[in-house]
Amino acid sequence: MNTKNLCEALKIIFNKEYDPIDPGSQLSNLVAPGSLINFKKNQIIIEQNNPVHYFYILLGGSASIINSITWVADNIVDTVQALDILGLVEYLNKGPTYTAYVVALEQCSILRVPVEEFSQIIQQDASLCYQTLQVLGRVTSDNMNRAEVKCLFHPKEALGHYLFIQAQTNGVPYTLPLTKKDLAEKLNINLRTLHRYFSSMEANGNLKLVNGKVIIDAIDFRELAKRYKDIVL
């Protein structure tokens, strides 16, 4: 891979100057053939225990982090989204293998970069190194917030807080774009339990279920805000 071109591609990526639906339109001429990869929903992006030879930069879509242990199969421990750099934490901590499976939750676009090339670039280019630190900072903050939610909240409260934040960020009326199955995976809540929570929250005036869609209007949002607006994570 041409180092100068790869640096240019990374700058485009970190500055979000690419189309997440079709990143190849800006990046294909700058990166090595085969390094831009599309994964369909439920395809495995990274295999647990495989050697850390590549970083996988998530350009579009979202994915589940699954840690399989002998007594709990397919345990979803986290979700990732653009611009997470998968494998970077293992590499920086000198881990020889990936510590979990990464599975596409939806259509995902990935830039696969050999670890040695990426490592060399960020050691030589201060701007790209700083932007990599910014990615790590955001990921660390997100992980800390999720850990706090898991420690402090009952799963139903975690759901309520998530819906409040999404409605606050995107505006009301807010329609949840995720399927219930995808939301259950994202929040690590059993799907049947999630349906019970939705029914209970609808009865309490926290949301509306319309033709299978979860909708939060201004009245619902005010009710959610009474409970969640003062929470700082």
Side-chain angles (χ1 to χ4, degrees), residues 55 91-92 113-124:
F55 296 136
Y91 179 79
L92 292 176
V113 183
V115 294
E116 296 302 332
E117 289 190 47
F118 190 93
S119 177
Q120 183 179 15
I121 285 172
I122 62 175
Q123 289 180 64
Q124 296 175 351

Side-chain angles (χ1 to χ4, degrees), residues 94-113:
K94 302 187 184 301
T97 60
Y98 300 110
T99 57
Y101 289 94
V102 181
V103 180
L105 270 173
E106 56 189 330
Q107 178 84 18
C108 289
S109 301
I110 296 282
L111 175 64
R112 186 179 66 182
V113 183

Side-chain angles (χ1 to χ4, degrees), residues 9 20-21 33 73 78 112 121 164 172 177 189 191 199 210 227-229 232:
I21 305 299
D78 203 356
R112 186 179 66 182
I121 285 172
F164 168 72
V172 293
I189 298 174
L191 183 57
S199 296
V210 181
R227 190 165 186 84
Y228 302 112
K229 70 177 180 178
V232 178

Side-chain angles (χ1 to χ4, degrees), residues 186-198:
K186 184 178 184 67
L187 298 181
N188 197 19
I189 298 174
N190 177 274
L191 183 57
R192 289 184 180 180
T193 302
L194 182 69
H195 280 283
R196 290 201 302 271
Y197 291 164
F198 278 142

